[in-house]
Amino acid sequence: AKRGQVACDADVDALAYWNDPQGDRDNSFKSPFGLPSEKPKYLVFTPDKGGFNNVRMSFEIIFILAAALDRILVLPPEQPMYLLRNDQSKKHRGLDHFFDMDGDDYKKRVKYMTMEQFIVTEGHPNGQFPVPPHMMRTLVGASKVCAPTLSKLKWNGSGLTPCEFVHDYLVQHAVTPNITATHHQCLVFDQGMYETGKIDDSSSAKEFCSSGDRDTVYVTKDFQEPQLLYIQGGKPPTRMLAHYYGYLHFTDPAVGNYYKRYIRDMLHFRHEIFCSAGKIVKFLQDEAAKQGIMPDSEGAGGYSSLHIRRGDFQYKRMRVTAEEWLHNTEGVWSRNETLYIATDEKDKVGFFEPFRNAGHKLFFLDD
C-alpha cells in the first residue's frame, strides 16, 4: 500500500487520506457474501433527494452493498441535484462528476457501469432485462439525463418524465429489498447466517443495533436471488440516509475493517476538487502564519472552519445570531485565529462583525 497523492499544479498531497494503490491484503480480498451466477448480477439505485452530503452518505451505503454482494453497481443517470443547480451550463450531474472513478486502482477494484451501458448491455432482446424495441431509443436517451422537469414521455400509454421512464423500466425487472437506513433499522452481514441460517455472532449484532432500539435485519441468500436489485434510496420507506458505519455491521471485524478501507480508498472526491480546495487551504495557512499559528507536522490546521447555515436549513430556530455563534464557540478558537466560514449568509460584512471585533480574521469562498 502507498499513500495517495493529489494530481495538482501545487503540492497539496497533505490532503490525501487514502491509499493508492491499496495493499496486497485488500487487493486479494473476496467477499464471503457473493453468490456464483452464470450471468452478471446488478445493483441499481436512485440517489438521495436531499443536499449533497445526504447524497454522499447514501451512496457510501449503496457502494458497500454492491461490493459486499459482489454485484455490478449501476450509476444513475445525470440529474439536477438540490442546491447544486446554479451552473447554467451544467444543471445535470452524475456521481462521477464528484467522485474519482478514473484511477487505475478504482477501475481494477470496483465493478460499475453507467445506466446507459447497463440498458445497452442487458436491454436487447436476448439480454436479461429486455426493452421493447420501439422503446429502446427513448429509454437510452432517458438513461443519460434523467431530468424530472423535461417533457413527458410515454411508457405503455402513460405520460412520464425521463426519471419516471427509467424507474418504470427498473421496477418491471428488479426487486427492491425491504431495507432502510433510517433510524429504526440496521443491516447485519454475518457469514453463518448468510451461509447456513445460523448466526455466528449474535452478541456483536445485538450490541451494534441496540442504539436507538433498532430492528436487526440480516443479509441472507434471499438478497442474492434476484439478478437485479433496485435500491430506491431517495425516499421512504427505503431511504438510505445514514452513515454507513452506523447502519451496516459486519460481525467479522476483519471484513468490516476491509469495507471501511474500501470506502476510504475507493470513494473520495475527484482530484480537481482536492486541488482547488488544497490551494485555498494553503492560502489560509499562509494567512494564519502571519498570526503566528502554524500547521502541524502532517500539514493540517493553522486555521479553523465553520459552517454557518442561514437560509438553507429548514428549522428556523437553528438560525442563530453571530453573537450566539461567538458566545457558543469562544472556548474553541485560539486568540485572533484565522477563520474560514462556509455560509449562505448574504451580508458577510455586517452579520459577521462580532467575529471581527473579537480579533478574528475572516475568509469566505467569495475571497
Side-chain angles (χ1 to χ4, degrees):
K2 182 181 178 182
R3 182 170 177 173
Q5 296 178 309
V6 179
C8 186
D9 57 356
D11 181 7
V12 297
D13 287 342
L15 270 63
Y17 57 82
W18 58 89
N19 282 345
D20 184 14
Q22 287 190 310
D24 293 339
R25 174 179 56 173
D26 289 338
N27 282 323
S28 62
F29 178 86
K30 185 173 179 61
S31 173
F33 302 99
L35 198 64
S37 174
E38 291 184 3
K39 296 182 178 180
K41 291 177 179 285
Y42 299 91
L43 189 151
V44 297
F45 68 99
T46 51
D48 195 87
K49 302 301 182 185
F52 184 76
N53 197 49
N54 292 0
V55 173
R56 176 192 60 81
M57 291 163 60
S58 178
F59 186 40
E60 287 177 345
I61 292 172
I62 293 164
F63 196 73
I64 292 177
L65 288 176
L69 296 173
D70 196 25
R71 288 175 173 264
I72 297 173
L73 179 67
V74 181
L75 300 177
E78 292 185 11
Q79 53 198 281
M81 291 188 178
Y82 177 59
L83 298 178
L84 292 175
R85 306 170 186 172
N86 291 335
D87 186 350
Q88 296 298 320
S89 65
K90 188 66 176 176
K91 284 185 171 293
H92 312 107
R93 298 183 186 276
L95 292 168
D96 57 336
H97 286 81
F98 301 93
F99 297 101
D100 182 23
M101 301 180 180
D102 298 329
D104 292 338
D105 209 29
Y106 187 96
K107 292 178 179 178
K108 291 177 183 176
R109 302 292 311 289
V110 181
K111 297 191 294 184
Y112 76 100
M113 61 172 54
T114 65
M115 184 65 70
E116 179 187 6
Q117 291 170 330
F118 168 73
I119 290 172
V120 170
T121 300
E122 297 290 2
H124 59 81
N126 295 320
Q128 293 191 75
F129 319 111
V131 180
H134 67 285
M135 297 287 189
M136 189 66 167
R137 183 176 179 180
T138 307
L139 184 59
V140 168
S143 72
K144 297 177 182 179
V145 178
C146 166
T149 57
L150 290 183
S151 60
K152 294 280 186 176
L153 304 173
K154 289 187 177 181
W155 178 269
N156 290 342
S158 61
L160 299 170
T161 67
C163 293
E164 295 166 340
F165 201 53
V166 174
H167 171 75
D168 269 28
Y169 166 71
L170 295 176
V171 296
Q172 287 186 27
H173 295 285
V175 171
T176 296
N178 186 26
I179 56 175
T180 177
T182 50
H183 305 297
H184 60 273
Q185 193 182 96
C186 59
L187 188 63
V188 177
F189 287 79
D190 180 271
Q191 196 166 349
M193 184 65 174
Y194 180 77
E195 292 181 349
T196 66
K198 296 181 180 180
I199 302 171
D200 279 342
D201 191 346
S202 59
S203 61
S204 172
K206 184 177 180 180
E207 180 181 1
F208 179 83
C209 297
S210 62
S211 62
D213 192 28
R214 296 180 293 173
D215 294 331
T216 303
V217 178
Y218 283 93
V219 174
T220 66
K221 289 188 177 178
D222 290 341
F223 276 75
Q224 292 289 38
E225 286 186 7
Q227 289 296 110
L228 182 61
L229 281 183
Y230 183 15
I231 305 293
Q232 299 185 48
K235 59 183 180 179
T238 53
R239 194 178 187 190
M240 288 290 148
L241 183 58
H243 293 294
Y244 74 88
Y245 44 80
Y247 171 61
L248 301 176
H249 180 61
F250 295 84
T251 57
D252 183 343
V255 177
N257 288 337
Y258 166 79
Y259 284 108
K260 289 185 176 74
R261 295 191 300 272
Y262 186 73
I263 289 292
R264 180 196 67 189
D265 297 340
M266 297 292 122
L267 200 61
H268 57 78
F269 293 134
R270 297 182 65 87
H271 287 264
E272 51 265 40
I273 295 175
F274 273 101
C275 181
S276 296
K279 291 176 180 179
I280 296 173
V281 168
K282 278 189 168 295
F283 171 84
L284 293 168
Q285 289 175 333
D286 289 343
E287 290 297 315
K290 298 175 184 177
Q291 305 294 114
I293 303 176
M294 308 300 294
D296 62 22
S297 60
E298 286 286 315
Y303 68 97
S304 290
S305 300
L306 302 84
H307 181 194
I308 297 183
R309 303 176 73 163
R310 297 290 295 156
D312 73 326
F313 208 55
Q314 60 265 49
Y315 304 109
K316 292 183 179 180
R317 66 182 182 273
M318 304 301 293
R319 298 176 190 173
V320 300
T321 65
E323 287 81 3
E324 289 179 277
W325 265 98
L326 195 60
H327 174 74
N328 292 339
T329 58
E330 60 185 355
V332 177
W333 321 125
S334 299
R335 182 178 176 84
N336 298 331
E337 184 171 2
T338 296
L339 300 178
Y340 173 77
I341 300 178
T343 184
D344 59 331
E345 171 59 49
K346 303 299 184 184
D347 181 14
K348 296 183 177 64
V349 176
F351 181 82
F352 293 103
E353 194 61 22
F355 284 89
R356 296 185 181 91
N357 292 339
H360 296 292
K361 192 170 185 178
L362 307 184
F363 290 96
F364 305 90
L365 185 60
D366 296 348
D367 296 312

